[in-house]
Amino acid sequence: MAAQSELYLSSLAKTAPQSRWKHVMHGLRRDKFLYLLIAPGVLFFLIFKYVPMWGVVIAFQDYSPYLGVTGSQWVGFDHFIRFFSNHDFYLLFRNTMAISLLSLVFFFPLPIILSLLLNELRNAIYKKWIQSIVYMPHFLSWVIIAGITFLLLSQSSGIVNKMLVSLGAAKYDFLTNENNFWVLLTVQNVWKEAGWGTIIFLAAIAGVDPQQYEAAKMDGANRIRQAWHVTLPAIRSVIVVLFILKLGHIMDVGFEQVFLMMNGAVSNVADVFETYVYRLGIQQGQFSFSTAVGLFKSVVGLILVIAANKLAKRFGEEGVY
């Protein structure tokens, strides 16, 4: 009897992988068009996100393009020590965090508020027109937005300063004043991306059960209370996930925007990690050192995502994983 049981278990162990493989192949054949649909996205992330990760090893080397990755000398954490002991580190960290925190405080809530306002519009045609208008700035490049900003705020020929002069007021220095730079970047970011950010929140709001609104009306809740007690709790999980993902990019303030708006007069408040990496890595050829700076940014973002995700789960949310 024992011999028969062992024979049965051995045959099951041999056939189980085959049945699993058949099940996998059946699923691939059944859903082949779905896999073809996601194939471009998967290839994009593999080629441009995962494969380049191999390059971070040069952050621990004295990399030379002539010797390559395998032939360059290993220096360990020397580049990180040099970066943290450099007086530029504190300046870069201050500017990056200031711009990111302003964006987090003023930009992140705005798409939520805008989504709630758009959700209250009952005229479908008017609502679509408003959505199209607020979506359009997203499709403008930062080059165009920087050009519009210079056209409006330039001290010599800007439209705003010309209006001030015509009203008898003095010209105001918008673009070369250090006190204005962080606010100017935040306003640009809000104008460009706030409308586009409403797409996810509007999709989440569309999934709220209408019976909850009917119950709230029965209890005498007006539009504001319905949004506060029904809509926001229903989309809370989406808000938490997007907030966690936003924290992961807190060290990324947008190279193109800062680079285009930066000038010598505001370099003290405009120089961030991205511009620093560009200057040392691309212009000066310090590939290993600039890679170490970029790796530091990624590690900080990873730590913030893990910490925020654990905190969200502690408060009963699902988080990102």
Side-chain angles (χ1 to χ4, degrees):
M1 189 70 179
Q4 292 178 352
S5 299
E6 290 178 1
L7 183 62
Y8 172 75
L9 291 174
S10 62
S11 62
L12 183 63
K14 293 179 180 178
T15 56
Q18 296 178 357
S19 63
R20 286 198 298 268
W21 177 251
K22 289 181 180 179
H23 180 72
V24 170
M25 293 304 297
H26 174 72
L28 289 174
R29 286 193 297 268
R30 182 190 59 196
D31 302 324
K32 57 178 179 287
F33 294 110
L34 293 178
Y35 288 109
L36 286 175
L37 187 66
I38 67 171
V42 173
L43 289 175
F44 171 81
F45 277 95
L46 286 175
I47 296 173
F48 296 103
K49 299 294 182 180
Y50 287 96
V51 173
M53 284 184 182
W54 167 251
V56 300
V57 298
I58 70 173
F60 306 95
Q61 296 179 329
D62 185 12
Y63 175 73
S64 171
Y66 302 101
L67 299 175
V69 176
T70 56
S72 298
Q73 180 184 359
W74 288 88
V75 295
F77 292 94
D78 288 356
H79 296 301
F80 295 93
I81 296 172
R82 173 190 165 193
F83 176 54
F84 295 140
S85 59
N86 195 327
H87 70 279
D88 290 336
F89 170 76
Y90 302 100
L91 179 69
L92 297 170
F93 188 80
R94 183 202 67 180
N95 295 341
T96 302
M97 291 303 298
I99 296 171
S100 295
L101 289 176
L102 283 172
S103 177
L104 192 67
V105 172
F106 293 100
F107 169 71
F108 184 78
L110 199 60
I112 303 173
I113 298 171
L114 190 57
S115 300
L116 295 174
L117 295 175
L118 288 171
N119 187 57
E120 296 299 324
L121 296 177
R122 295 294 176 257
N123 190 319
I125 297 177
Y126 182 66
K127 182 178 180 180
K128 289 181 180 179
W129 271 100
I130 296 297
Q131 285 180 284
S132 300
I133 291 171
V134 298
Y135 290 166
M136 281 192 293
H138 170 78
F139 298 99
L140 299 177
S141 69
W142 281 115
V143 176
I144 296 175
I145 292 176
I148 294 173
T149 304
F150 287 125
L151 183 65
L152 291 174
L153 303 180
S154 173
Q155 190 172 12
S156 59
S157 58
I159 296 174
V160 174
N161 275 312
K162 286 184 177 180
M163 292 177 62
L164 291 175
V165 171
S166 66
L167 295 173
K171 290 184 178 181
Y172 186 76
D173 190 7
F174 291 100
L175 301 178
T176 57
N177 190 334
E178 291 184 352
N179 298 326
N180 300 331
F181 187 77
W182 293 344
V183 177
L184 185 61
L185 291 184
T186 305
V187 172
Q188 284 181 332
N189 198 27
V190 167
W191 181 76
K192 185 177 187 295
E193 301 294 348
W196 186 254
T198 62
I199 293 178
I200 296 177
F201 295 112
L202 285 173
I205 291 173
V208 179
D209 189 358
Q211 293 182 0
Q212 296 185 24
Y213 293 108
E214 295 297 330
K217 288 180 182 179
M218 294 286 290
D219 292 337
N222 56 22
R223 291 280 185 86
I224 297 177
R225 288 192 173 276
Q226 289 176 35
W228 183 260
H229 294 289
V230 178
T231 308
L232 284 177
I235 65 173
R236 183 176 58 187
S237 60
V238 177
I239 296 174
V240 170
V241 169
L242 292 179
F243 182 77
I244 294 172
L245 295 177
K246 180 71 174 177
L247 286 178
H249 294 279
I250 198 167
M251 302 297 287
D252 300 323
V253 296
F255 166 76
E256 189 176 0
Q257 180 191 15
V258 177
F259 184 75
L260 291 170
M261 297 303 302
M262 187 177 179
N263 56 70
V266 297
S267 60
N268 191 48
V269 296
D271 202 12
V272 293
F273 288 116
E274 283 96 334
T275 56
Y276 188 71
V277 168
Y278 170 76
R279 189 166 62 251
L280 269 68
I282 303 300
Q283 294 183 333
Q284 300 181 18
Q286 299 184 35
F287 302 111
S288 294
F289 183 74
S290 59
T291 303
V293 178
L295 184 58
F296 163 74
K297 286 174 45 188
S298 301
V299 171
V300 171
L302 177 63
I303 293 172
L304 288 174
V305 167
I306 294 174
N309 190 74
K310 288 185 177 180
L311 187 63
K313 287 189 173 183
R314 183 170 296 180
F315 283 95
E317 299 296 332
E318 294 184 2
V320 295
Y321 62 89

